[in-house]
Every structure is written in structure tokens, then in C-alpha cells.
Amino acid sequence: MNRSKCILLALAVTGLLSTAGCSASQTESEVKEPEITDPATITFDWQNAYENKLKDFMSSDKYLANKKGSIGQSMFEIRDLDGDDTPELIISPDTDLATPCEIYTYSASTLSPAGEIGNYGTFRYYPDIHILGNEYEGQGFMLGKFVNIEEGVLNEVMSYSDNTASASSGATIFHEINGEDVSRIEFDAALADFNNNFSFDAGRKCTFGEKSIHEAVRCAYGWGGALTDSQKELCRNLLTEANNNAVNANRNAAFEFCDLNADLIPELLISDGTEEGALCHIYYFSGEELIELEGSYGAYGQISFDIGCNVFYSVGSTGTSYWSLGAESFSAADYKASDSIIDCGRLFELSEKNIEKALSAGSDGTDTETDEAE
């Protein structure tokens, strides 16, 4: 796509026409063609092992290629869960109530199963404290646990159970922490130590399509390193400003690089938060500038990107809106999803540490990863 002629076509499912475009234009002679580096050339030790594991899973009887009734298809995610700067591989077989996520770690050139956690194919992740949580609510009771990853395996930090919801039936009420009875005040305080931290559901970021696997394994952690020095500086300045604004506004901001028009030059996505009304701001490179795409995009601070069709969309309570960046023509009515879809906008938690690590990925010839957010 010619960045001086940025075109974005959009049509909402509700029938409303959504329009967007470049906030500035330049003539062909004014735009300096940027250097292009394929992010897949920036490599990390874990990539081959994770790609092979994903393909092995697709050959297993647990793999569900499509939605089956009310049960969602298999998905996966690659995210650093223990803060050691090497991401874990998370496989979500489906969305059945009894389905946990499978977690794999990579260390010393070895892929190892860390264990399983969650239900409905997801688990709760607390990025600031690197804790994984899971809770089940039955009829009149709940039970749950918090775990971390130690030496490559899931390690239980705290378990809890409570049947306060059975009070109306005349049941004897209990509150337990690590199998021991505690008072309600002690119970609430113990859970607050975890639940007062920001968290989100993890496990289902990517579908098992060929292009989504390639993007998640080969590109997602290398986009920052594929930028030129001047492009990195533009991103650094913008992300630093966004981080300061997020801290002042107490927002759980995040960011991610994603190539929305298949030109090997990524767009920078900055997420305002995780509530439904939170937007995902999209910035593109134009010469020596990083410009925000006009319009409002995303819901819950992210967009869903169909790599196979170069279409991105957001799903909210009022419906689904679709856009295509740089397409000659696009109609939501004619759109048919491919098998390669990724939720984008919240791969990296917005912080000074993550800004520098994301932008320096592969720059010193060694593997470099980051702590992530939703």
C-alpha cells in the first residue's frame, strides 16, 4: 500500500457505514521509502519447539478445527507467564466447562509441559505478580486456586473454597484457605491480595490457521526489532507519552505491533484498557512520521485481525464493525472469515521496561522477549 494514499474501507454489521483514512497526505516524492526487514528473520530459541507442538496438537484427537455447537474451536496463545523473559505456550483445546488450558515452557533447549489450569478453555492471569488463577462456581459454593510457574511447572500458591451462597438454604457456612477454616474477614483479605491486581482471561488469542501460527510464533515478538532506528524512536516517544498518560489516568494500557495490510511494515496498536468502551488506537508510518489512523476502532481495548483476508474488526454489545486497510473494495456482507484470526492490541503491558524490550528485540543478536498483557 502507498502510505501517501492510505485508504481504509469499513462497513458495520448494523448497516452503518464506518469510514476512516489517513489524517495527513503527502505526494509520492515527499514519502521516503522505509527499509523493510521481515520480522521472521529475528529469531528466538523457542520458536521451532512451539511451532512443532502446535502442529502436533493439530494432529491429535483433542484438536477442534471449528466451533461445535456451543463449544468453541481450539485456540492458542504465546505469553510470558512467569516473568523470565521467555514466553510460555498456552493451548486451549475448546471452550467446554471442564476444559483447562495446557501450558508448556521452554528452557535449556527443551519444551516441557508445565501443567493444566482453567475452565472454559481459559484462566485468569495477573501480569503484575505473574500469577495464574482459576475459580469454579457450583450450586451454592465456589472453589479456586492461584498458582505460579516455578522451575517449569505449575506450583500452587493458595487454594480456597467458600459456600456463602448456600446461606439461604440453611447450610453451615464455611470459608477455607489452603484447606483450613478461616473467618470471612480473613478469607476476603487473602483473596484481595491477588484480586486487587489487574487481571484478564488468557489462553485464546489465536486460531490454529497457518498464517496465524506464523504471525504468533515467527513475527509477534520480532516486529519491534524489524523497525529502523528512526522508526523505533518514533515508537519510543509515542509509547512513552501514552504510558505517562495511562499512569496518570490509572488505565491498564497495552500495545502491540501488527501488520494490518501485509506490506511488512507494522502498524502500532495502543490499547486504552480492557473495558468495553476502551479503544485500540492504530498508528502507521508515513515517511518520518507516525500518524494515528482517523476513526475509532476496537472494543475491550483490542481488535480481531483476520490475517488471511486483511480484515480487522471489533465485537461489542451493539454489534460488530469491520474494516480493511488498503483494500480496493470491501463489504462486510461479502466477508468470509479465514482460519487465521488473532486478537490484537494487548500483547505487551505498557511500561518503560516493555517499551525498551519490545523495540530492542534481536538487536544484539540474542533472544529478547518481554512481559505481556492481554
Side-chain angles (χ1 to χ4, degrees), residues 251-328:
R251 294 198 307 265
N252 295 306
F255 70 100
E256 184 167 354
F257 291 100
C258 189
D259 183 8
L260 295 176
N261 65 324
D263 64 353
L264 285 180
I265 302 175
E267 280 66 49
L268 171 60
L269 280 55
I270 301 180
S271 168
D272 280 343
T274 56
E275 65 276 9
E276 181 177 357
L279 297 177
C280 187
H281 302 273
I282 302 172
Y283 297 84
Y284 65 93
F285 292 100
S286 178
E288 298 301 316
E289 295 182 275
L290 188 57
I291 301 174
E292 183 171 4
L293 197 65
E294 292 181 350
S296 298
Y297 308 100
Y300 303 99
Q302 64 182 13
I303 59 173
S304 294
F305 178 44
D306 187 333
I307 304 174
C309 301
N310 283 331
V311 169
F312 61 97
Y313 57 92
S314 61
V315 182
S317 59
T318 58
T320 303
S321 296
Y322 297 86
W323 303 271
S324 183
L325 185 59
E328 291 296 328

Side-chain angles (χ1 to χ4, degrees), residues 13 25 28 34 54 68 85 184 192 199 208 214 217 233 307:
V13 162
S25 62
E28 190 72 26
L54 289 170
K68 188 175 181 180
D85 290 340
R184 181 55 189 259
S199 66
F208 273 83
H214 177 78
V217 175
E233 190 61 22
I307 304 174

Side-chain angles (χ1 to χ4, degrees), residues 183-258:
S183 69
R184 181 55 189 259
I185 294 177
E186 292 172 320
F187 181 85
D188 290 342
L191 264 64
D193 288 340
F194 299 93
N195 290 334
N196 283 345
N197 294 278
F198 169 67
S199 66
F200 57 87
D201 289 332
R204 297 184 60 80
K205 180 177 173 65
C206 313
T207 62
F208 273 83
E210 180 180 351
K211 291 184 177 181
S212 52
I213 290 176
H214 177 78
E215 171 65 23
V217 175
R218 301 293 175 181
C219 301
Y221 285 85
W223 279 118
L227 300 174
T228 66
D229 288 342
S230 60
Q231 288 172 332
K232 290 180 183 180
E233 190 61 22
L234 289 172
C235 291
R236 181 178 291 106
N237 293 338
L238 179 60
L239 288 168
T240 298
E241 180 182 3
N243 183 44
N244 292 336
N245 292 337
V247 170
N248 292 334
N250 195 29
R251 294 198 307 265
N252 295 306
F255 70 100
E256 184 167 354
F257 291 100
C258 189

